[in-house]
Amino acid sequence: MKLLEIKNLYVTIDTLDGPLQIIKGIDFSIEKGERLGIVGESGCGKSITSLAIMALLPHKSKVTGQILLNGEDINLFNEEQMCRIRGNKIGMIFQEPMTALNPVKTIGAQIAESLILHRNMKKRQRIYEVEQLLESVDLPVERFGLNLYPHQLSGGQRQRVMIAMAIACKPDILIADEPTTALDVTVQKQILELIKELAMKFGMSLIMISHDLGVIAQTTQKVMIMYAGEVMEQGETSKVFKHMSHPYTQGLFAAIPKPGSSRLEGKKRLSTIPGSVPDPTSTLQGCIFEPRCRFSDDICLKSEPEKSDISPGHHVRCFHPVVKD
Amino acid sequence: MKIFLFKRLITMIITLLVASSVVFFVLEILPGDPAAVMLGINAEADTLAALRAELGLDKPIAVRYLGWLGDLVQGDLGISYTYDVPVSELIMERVILSFPLAVLSMILSTLIAIPLGIIAASNHSKPMDFLVMIFSQLGIAIPNFWFALLLIIFFSVFMGVLPAGGFAGWEAGMIPALSSLLLPTIALALPQAAILTRVTRSSLLEVLKEDYIRTAQAKGSSLRRTLWRHALRNAMIPVVTIMGLQFSFLLAGTIIIENVFYLPGIGRLIFQAIAQRDLIVVKNLVILLAASVIVINFIVDMLYAVIDPRLRGTQNV
Amino acid sequence: MYERFVEVFSHGMKNRNFVAGGIITIAFFGLALLSYVWSPHPIENINISDKLLSPNAKYLLGTDHFGRDILSMLIMGAKNSIIVAFVAIGIGLGIGVPLGLVAASQRGWTDEFIMRFNDFTLAFPSLISAIMITAIMGPGAVNSIIAIGIFNIPVFARVVRGAALNIWKKEFILAALSSGKSKTRISIEHVLPNTSSVLIVQATIQFAIGILAEAGLSYLGLGTQPPAASWGKMLNEAQTFLHFAPQLAIYPGMAIALTVLGLNLFGDGLRDVLDPKLRRNR
């Protein structure tokens, strides 16, 4: 049995202009201890997917499909049952360390909260546990007391506190939603390493959400490329990165600046994907990426591509997958 | 924290000085001579001269201002012209009524508003929320003196259970004294509660959208627990601001309400002193009221620091 | 301009507050306008033999202790409230808006000075100061207008400054500056028109506050003087007869509460309609 299995997930949000489908039937799964990356442009639905798993989407949204955690469909759970999953079975790290911590509570109290909610511990034991957690995210207790407030810490330090909070109950799954986007470049690498290291140390599965292919390559074993609420390509990270088959994946990769190809010295301009993410209100026929795709033809306009195998464990949804030389 | 406190103290003293000079000079530059204003048009020439000497009007304006400030600091507020008793004595007599009245209505309005605001916010867009908002809109629209009249009509005229006005005095015992303050307290509290309910509700709804609320929920904290443990304290910052501002409205409210209920309090005193042109009483009362507003604002700022650790000026690690 | 009006109106018709508040506000203004052409009975007519009558066919809402028609007095009172609140807003706009525009365009110590002065005025209990002003200058409608108007100044100055500061950050202002227009001209030509929605909304709210303040002052006997009718004054007179004719204290209060409620609802609705960014939680 898979640890987490998502089957046919749809997310619809009610807006003033009618319902809006943000996630259009995605499937994926994750084994115990496995590390999965979800990549895509902003607005592609990668954060929505993680919030749907946590059942933390705004009330106006509807989630259909199955979210099986250890074989149990948590999408059918009520709020009270979900409270026992969140922080306990699934921990989450958010993007903005500046605003994701409560400004009027000490970091010690905020880390201890999950323990209070899910673990029956004496106060002394809890303090010891929180100190251990701070040590494990490299915030030595001698310098970073439990009584500090978030505003007294730097962005990177706050993100470490976030991590300590998320792993406090040693959850089965750790979801990191763009954990380094808001941080300085120098700090980013350390935080990524820390997350990966902790996931391995405690045997937690990791879902790493990012728009940055480099982050995914560094931390994950499996990857899923999302575009406009659909999965374009998925498979083992090493295979996908070696044989990028979907034109969108290729476009994403080509958009990364490479050393030595800056506009000043070089001749080549940084490549971009033409066009922009489709308006979710429009109901286009055919492949969702067709308007921006350089290989598009009649079939792409008429019907939607099904999943096809490039190699075992590497699927793509495209009529014209790029086959590498 | 100490630096913060010190800065706020300095600003408070400067504001007090500015307030005192404004009050002084406004009353000073008024058309006509204060003595003539006080005595009215039919005053005799020698009475006028005597009063002018008593008021020190023959001295330069700066000397008089500084002299007044010096007296104020020493607690000497002069002698009331109409009552012929020390102003400080006059004020003390009235404060023992107005202060409990203001505090009681502040407490009452807080007791009504904060729970209502929480109920409305936690039932956002549901019938309960709508009901609370109707209450709030009505409370803001109804003038407090009319509400006071309605209370008198109902509780005094029809039911006959509470006095329609007057103050029994504290020496008559707690029960009669408090029962004569009950209707005024309710009348004063209603509009305050209405505004405060609205502020509490919108502030809570605002805070509930913050990222750290989602973080708390991601840890498994229920919505209810998150509201009490995480949102409420953050939401109190604007609420406390409004409560501070309301204190000055409360002072103004007492003027009208004390007139409705014929209560011998500060509000009625200032109203009468103005009507009788007793400028010594007016000047000192206005500055004392302004000072109490300023001091309240100072306390509010201190409360911020209690609520919000970011304002305590703690050092970064 | 016309299209904008139609757009606001059609959006507004979907907003509960806008519709309810609008209807009450229009009714109130209609009543006041009506007083210019017709009122059931002239309110100067003192008819002691008809005093303190209950509502009847001749006097729809009854009469007061001088035998004056309550309905007619309410209608005249509406007119009086509108004039006082309107002129007071005029004072607030006329002085507050230029102050706010100057503060936003000059920044620096000019801004600091204007804003500190604002804070100071706002910190004073406005009714106390209004009482001081009317008491010293003498009671009466004109002085109560001035007293209420003075306290509209800092309110409008602050609102305009806040809105103007945002507009000064916009690129089209930079374009205007680089084309050599003076700050004053930019303030008038570009900034002011863009603050109009916040101004309109604030004016509605100040209108309601003005009506409440006028009622309070006339209740204390410092505002409108007889024989002119005012809702506050009517309540003051009614208090003497609470035991014999409590209904006298009901009508004027309902008139005040309904009008203020209508204006506040209308202001809330208008804010939602004019600027979705200003939308608050309600």
Side-chain angles (χ1 to χ4, degrees):
Chain A
M1 190 172 47
K2 301 262 167 52
L3 175 59
L4 179 73
E5 193 165 9
I6 310 289
K7 284 184 181 166
N8 209 18
L9 182 78
Y10 282 84
V11 176
T12 316
I13 294 187
D14 273 339
T15 67
L16 288 174
D17 308 313
L20 206 72
Q21 209 164 63
I22 298 183
I23 304 291
K24 297 158 190 156
I26 64 171
D27 304 275
F28 66 91
S29 65
I30 184 165
E31 311 268 2
K32 187 165 167 44
E34 201 174 34
R35 298 189 302 278
L36 168 78
I38 305 181
V39 204
E41 288 168 277
S42 43
C44 73
K46 52 195 195 301
S47 293
I48 299 286
T49 308
S50 65
L51 290 174
I53 296 170
M54 295 289 273
L56 282 178
L57 286 168
H59 296 296
K60 283 175 182 164
S61 44
K62 215 176 83 194
V63 179
T64 59
Q66 287 181 308
I67 304 171
L68 302 170
L69 180 70
N70 288 317
E72 233 184 330
D73 189 355
I74 60 171
N75 194 26
L76 302 173
F77 277 18
N78 62 23
E79 180 61 21
E80 200 191 324
Q81 288 171 303
M82 263 330 279
C83 281
R84 287 201 290 269
I85 300 287
R86 297 186 198 121
N88 188 18
K89 301 284 177 207
I90 312 175
M92 189 152 176
I93 301 166
F94 292 98
Q95 178 174 2
E96 276 291 337
M98 297 320 217
T99 53
L101 294 176
N102 190 335
V104 304
K105 293 191 144 214
T106 61
I107 58 170
Q110 295 191 60
I111 297 172
E113 192 169 11
S114 312
L115 298 173
I116 295 171
L117 286 163
H118 307 293
R119 297 279 182 274
N120 194 8
M121 274 184 193
K122 293 224 167 62
K123 191 173 180 193
R124 183 178 293 176
Q125 195 188 352
R126 204 162 58 220
I127 291 173
Y128 173 77
E129 193 68 25
V130 172
E131 285 174 352
Q132 290 300 306
L133 282 163
L134 277 177
E135 294 282 346
S136 69
V137 294
D138 300 330
L139 294 176
V141 184
E142 309 86 67
R143 239 185 97 208
F144 301 92
L146 303 187
N147 293 326
L148 287 177
Y149 286 96
H151 72 274
Q152 292 167 286
L153 303 175
S154 70
Q157 291 163 347
R158 285 187 222 190
Q159 197 59 304
R160 287 170 193 273
V161 172
M162 268 301 298
I163 296 169
M165 275 165 44
I167 63 165
C169 293
K170 310 291 178 306
D172 297 336
I173 302 168
L174 182 62
I175 302 178
D177 184 2
E178 303 255 9
T180 55
T181 309
L183 300 176
D184 288 346
V185 187
T186 46
V187 187
Q188 285 187 3
K189 215 174 143 70
Q190 297 168 13
I191 296 286
L192 285 175
E193 277 308 318
L194 179 69
I195 294 175
K196 185 179 166 186
E197 214 172 85
L198 288 168
M200 287 162 77
K201 183 173 161 195
F202 296 117
M204 295 182 287
S205 303
L206 177 69
I207 299 179
M208 174 67 70
I209 294 167
S210 183
H211 62 273
D212 186 338
L213 289 169
V215 168
I216 301 297
Q218 191 186 339
T219 48
T220 65
Q221 299 157 324
K222 281 203 313 193
V223 66
M224 180 164 106
I225 317 275
M226 281 183 75
Y227 179 76
E230 291 180 22
V231 177
M232 298 286 106
E233 186 167 359
Q234 68 192 118
E236 279 170 37
T237 310
S238 55
K239 283 186 185 169
V240 173
F241 275 54
K242 217 182 210 165
H243 300 287
M244 277 170 293
S245 308
H246 198 284
Y248 177 63
T249 318
Q250 288 208 318
L252 271 184
F253 198 79
I256 304 173
K258 285 164 209 70
S261 68
S262 88
R263 284 182 64 191
L264 278 177
E265 323 159 4
K267 309 103 203 157
K268 261 174 74 184
R269 278 185 71 160
L270 188 59
S271 125
T272 55
I273 304 175
S276 58
V277 182
D279 179 2
T281 48
S282 67
T283 43
L284 279 171
Q285 255 199 333
C287 173
I288 192 124
F289 188 59
E290 184 277 327
R292 297 175 72 186
C293 185
R294 41 191 181 123
F295 303 117
S296 76
D297 58 17
D298 283 353
I299 183 156
C300 306
L301 269 172
K302 279 183 202 126
S303 51
E304 240 181 298
E306 288 297 316
K307 231 195 261 183
S308 58
D309 280 8
I310 295 292
S311 61
H314 180 186
H315 327 283
V316 66
R317 274 175 78 166
C318 183
F319 292 114
H320 310 293
V322 188
V323 184
K324 247 217 169 131
D325 29 331
Chain B
M1 185 68 195
K2 272 181 191 152
I3 299 168
F4 176 70
L5 197 88
F6 185 70
K7 271 190 195 160
R8 285 296 296 119
L9 260 174
I10 297 285
T11 355
M12 184 175 83
I13 290 166
I14 293 172
T15 324
L16 275 171
L17 280 176
V18 175
S20 68
S21 57
V22 169
V23 170
F24 185 84
F25 289 106
V26 163
L27 290 175
E28 203 67 34
I29 54 163
L30 284 174
D33 138 27
V37 171
M38 284 167 73
L39 290 177
I41 357 167
N42 303 323
E44 305 265 336
D46 43 336
T47 349
L48 254 177
L51 182 63
R52 295 179 71 161
E54 199 188 316
L55 293 174
L57 290 181
D58 36 354
K59 291 179 201 135
I61 189 161
V63 174
R64 276 183 286 138
Y65 172 63
L66 289 176
W68 176 56
L69 269 192
D71 288 348
L72 260 181
V73 173
Q74 289 165 34
D76 176 7
L77 304 183
I79 311 266
S80 157
Y81 182 73
T82 40
Y83 295 88
D84 204 25
V85 288
V87 175
S88 48
E89 215 171 274
L90 210 53
I91 291 175
M92 273 321 289
E93 275 170 24
R94 309 294 185 112
V95 161
I96 55 165
L97 186 151
S98 295
F99 185 71
L101 179 60
V103 171
L104 283 175
S105 50
M106 201 80 203
I107 293 172
L108 181 62
S109 72
T110 313
L111 285 180
I112 298 171
I114 302 218
L116 278 186
I118 295 173
I119 290 171
S122 47
N123 293 289
H124 185 37
S125 302
K126 291 188 196 145
M128 202 58 203
D129 185 20
F130 189 66
L131 273 181
V132 173
M133 286 317 279
I134 290 179
F135 157 78
S136 166
Q137 284 286 8
L138 280 178
I140 293 169
I142 292 174
N144 57 8
F145 58 95
W146 181 52
F147 185 57
L149 290 180
L150 292 181
L151 288 174
I152 295 175
I153 292 176
F154 189 74
F155 288 102
S156 311
V157 178
F158 287 146
M159 310 262 293
V161 287
L162 286 167
F167 182 56
W170 294 105
E171 56 282 356
M174 280 309 260
I175 307 277
L178 283 179
S179 68
S180 48
L181 286 186
L182 185 59
L183 292 185
T185 303
I186 297 172
L188 264 178
L190 174 82
Q192 317 273 352
I195 295 170
L196 209 56
T197 303
R198 206 178 155 138
V199 174
T200 308
R201 172 183 175 274
S202 60
S203 167
L204 255 177
L205 287 178
E206 210 50 54
V207 169
L208 285 173
K209 283 188 210 145
E210 295 282 348
D211 284 352
Y212 55 80
I213 296 300
R214 202 178 53 187
T215 309
Q217 285 181 285
K219 282 188 272 185
S221 174
S222 67
L223 194 63
R224 199 188 159 80
R225 187 181 179 281
T226 310
L227 192 136
W228 285 96
R229 297 284 180 91
H230 289 270
L232 203 55
R233 188 154 159 204
N234 282 289
M236 277 304 118
I237 296 170
V239 174
V240 167
T241 313
I242 298 295
M243 283 172 74
L245 283 178
Q246 280 191 331
F247 190 78
S248 73
F249 285 103
L250 209 62
L251 289 175
T254 53
I255 300 184
I256 290 193
I257 291 299
E258 286 176 1
N259 272 290
V260 178
F261 290 97
Y262 306 106
L263 295 175
I266 293 285
R268 200 160 163 78
L269 177 65
I270 193 171
F271 179 68
Q272 286 167 337
I274 288 170
Q276 290 156 348
R277 295 151 180 259
D278 193 339
L279 289 189
I280 301 172
V281 174
V282 173
K283 187 166 68 180
N284 288 305
L285 257 183
V286 171
I287 188 63
L288 283 180
L289 287 178
S292 60
V293 170
I294 292 165
V295 170
I296 289 288
N297 284 335
F298 175 72
I299 295 171
V300 167
D301 278 359
M302 294 295 107
L303 272 178
Y304 285 157
V306 173
I307 298 175
D308 191 343
R310 283 168 293 187
L311 294 173
R312 283 176 216 154
T314 33
Q315 289 300 302
N316 281 16
V317 185
Chain C
M1 192 63 207
Y2 174 73
E3 284 91 33
R4 175 84 178 128
F5 179 78
V6 171
E7 187 198 327
V8 166
F9 189 76
S10 62
H11 270 96
M13 293 313 285
K14 291 181 208 146
N15 184 303
R16 201 172 50 204
N17 287 343
F18 183 88
V19 174
I23 291 172
I24 299 173
T25 308
I26 289 168
F28 162 65
F29 275 90
L31 207 62
L33 284 177
L34 183 71
S35 73
Y36 283 98
V37 288
W38 177 81
S39 72
H41 300 272
I43 59 161
E44 294 79 17
N45 277 14
I46 290 178
N47 196 348
I48 300 290
S49 60
D50 280 353
K51 72 174 180 181
L52 296 175
L53 290 179
S54 304
N56 56 48
K58 188 179 175 196
Y59 304 104
L60 285 177
L61 295 177
T63 58
D64 73 352
H65 58 295
F66 286 128
R68 292 176 296 186
D69 178 38
I70 295 292
L71 182 62
S72 308
M73 288 182 70
L74 283 181
I75 294 174
M76 296 308 280
K79 182 179 90 174
N80 177 63
S81 289
I82 287 187
I83 293 173
V84 171
F86 217 78
V87 180
I89 286 176
I91 294 173
L93 282 173
I95 304 176
V97 170
L99 279 179
L101 287 177
V102 167
S105 69
Q106 300 299 323
R107 306 303 307 270
W109 67 266
T110 318
D111 184 21
E112 191 65 20
F113 182 77
I114 292 174
M115 289 324 286
R116 289 295 79 76
F117 186 75
N118 258 350
D119 288 348
F120 182 73
T121 324
L122 284 176
F124 262 94
S126 51
L127 193 76
I128 293 180
S129 316
I131 288 171
M132 258 175 78
I133 291 169
T134 46
I136 289 158
M137 302 197 306
V142 176
N143 288 341
S144 65
I145 289 175
I146 296 174
I148 299 167
I150 286 177
F151 292 98
N152 281 333
I153 297 173
V155 175
F156 282 111
R158 170 173 295 200
V159 164
V160 167
R161 175 182 173 272
L165 282 181
N166 279 329
I167 294 158
W168 274 100
K169 287 181 206 143
K170 298 270 164 71
E171 289 188 353
F172 69 91
I173 298 286
L174 222 76
L177 265 179
S178 54
S179 72
K181 282 189 185 173
S182 72
K183 281 185 173 179
T184 317
R185 228 181 116 187
I186 294 173
S187 287
I188 296 167
E189 284 178 12
H190 298 288
V191 180
L192 186 59
N194 281 298
T195 58
S196 57
S197 15
V198 272
L199 277 180
I200 291 170
V201 171
Q202 194 61 45
T204 333
I205 293 163
Q206 292 309 115
F207 210 107
I209 293 175
I211 286 173
L212 278 177
E214 193 279 333
L217 284 176
S218 359
Y219 173 79
L220 289 175
L222 298 171
T224 314
Q225 296 299 305
S230 142
W231 293 340
K233 188 88 198 136
M234 287 171 79
L235 282 173
N236 178 320
E237 287 167 0
Q239 196 176 356
T240 324
F241 303 99
L242 276 188
H243 285 269
F244 321 108
Q247 78 274 10
L248 290 186
I250 304 290
Y251 306 127
M254 276 177 66
I256 299 170
L258 201 62
T259 309
V260 173
L261 179 69
L263 282 165
N264 280 338
L265 288 178
F266 185 65
D268 283 356
L270 203 59
R271 167 161 47 202
D272 290 350
V273 174
L274 281 179
D275 194 349
K277 273 172 284 172
L278 286 175
R279 198 182 295 243
R280 295 274 165 80
N281 298 299
R282 72 175 52 83

